[in-house]
């Protein structure tokens, strides 16, 4: 999540830029518009990292569709996602799932700004969701995500 000052005890810097205030966010997330809370869940965004080894998309996309059957569902997928799985998710959501691939930073910012909620792994997308003030549910799927998830809970 962020470095500890103890890691730099052997240095004598003038100033250490450490902690959550200095998270490395892509430029597209530096100045996002204020969030307006929608009266209903209209758009749910999913992002589970490059490979989704935990199988979160297979479990959570259909569950979200059952809970919010009229919501638009959008999954940020990588080239590593299984094409057959994506097709089965589209079928399970009656075609309401839109798969997004190869997004640039500004496109991810646009998706986070337009969404009403995010289900994600607790990595970089979580930090970007915080910048976008987007309500989220984050799941720790890798050991390097644990500290960041703990810091915001």
């Amino acid at each position: 999540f962020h470095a500890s000052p103890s890691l730099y005890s052997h240095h004598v810097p003038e100033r250490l830029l450490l902690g959550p205030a200095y998270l490395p966010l892509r430029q597209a997330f530096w100045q996002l518009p204020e969030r307006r809370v929608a009266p209903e869940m209209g758009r749910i965004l999913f992002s589970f990292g490059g490979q989704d080894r935990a199988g979160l998309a297979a479990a959570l996309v259909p569950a979200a569709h059952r809970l919010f059957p009229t919501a638009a569902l959008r999954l940020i997928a990588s080239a590593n996602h299984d094409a057959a799985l994506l097709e089965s998710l589209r079928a399970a959501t009656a075609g309401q799932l839109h798969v997004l691939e190869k997004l640039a930073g500004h496109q991810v910012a646009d998706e986070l700004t337009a969404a009403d909620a995010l289900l994600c792994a607790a990595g970089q997308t979580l930090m970007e969701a915080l910048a976008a003030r987007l309500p989220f549910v984050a799941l720790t799927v890798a050991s390097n995500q644990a500290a960041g998830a703990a810091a915001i809970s």
Side-chain angles (χ1 to χ4, degrees):
F1 182 65
H2 61 272
S4 166
S6 64
L7 294 173
Y8 300 94
S9 61
H10 60 284
H11 295 282
V12 185
E14 287 185 29
R15 181 174 174 201
L16 294 173
L17 304 178
L18 305 174
Y22 299 99
L23 287 174
L25 289 175
R26 295 183 277 186
Q27 188 172 4
F29 294 90
W30 291 359
Q31 293 183 343
L32 295 175
E34 288 295 318
R35 174 160 299 281
R36 293 189 348 232
V37 178
E40 295 184 20
M41 188 68 66
R43 189 172 184 160
I44 303 171
L45 183 63
F46 304 87
S47 177
F48 303 118
Q51 295 189 355
D52 189 16
R53 289 186 182 123
L56 297 175
L60 296 177
V61 170
H65 177 64
R66 287 190 299 275
L67 289 170
F68 303 100
T70 60
L73 307 174
R74 299 174 72 81
L75 171 65
I76 297 176
S78 72
N80 297 324
H81 274 82
D82 181 288
L85 170 64
L86 296 177
E87 277 309 309
S88 72
L89 290 174
R90 284 187 186 100
T93 60
Q96 285 183 249
L97 177 65
H98 183 75
V99 177
L100 308 159
E101 296 181 88
K102 299 178 185 174
L103 297 184
H106 70 278
Q107 293 170 306
V108 175
D110 291 345
E111 288 295 329
L112 290 171
T113 301
D116 296 312
L118 170 70
L119 282 81
C120 67
Q124 183 65 27
T125 303
L126 172 56
M127 300 305 132
E128 293 168 346
L130 288 168
R133 298 169 190 86
L134 175 62
F136 62 85
V137 174
L139 302 158
T140 302
V141 297
S143 61
N144 68 339
Q145 298 173 350
I152 62 166
S153 59

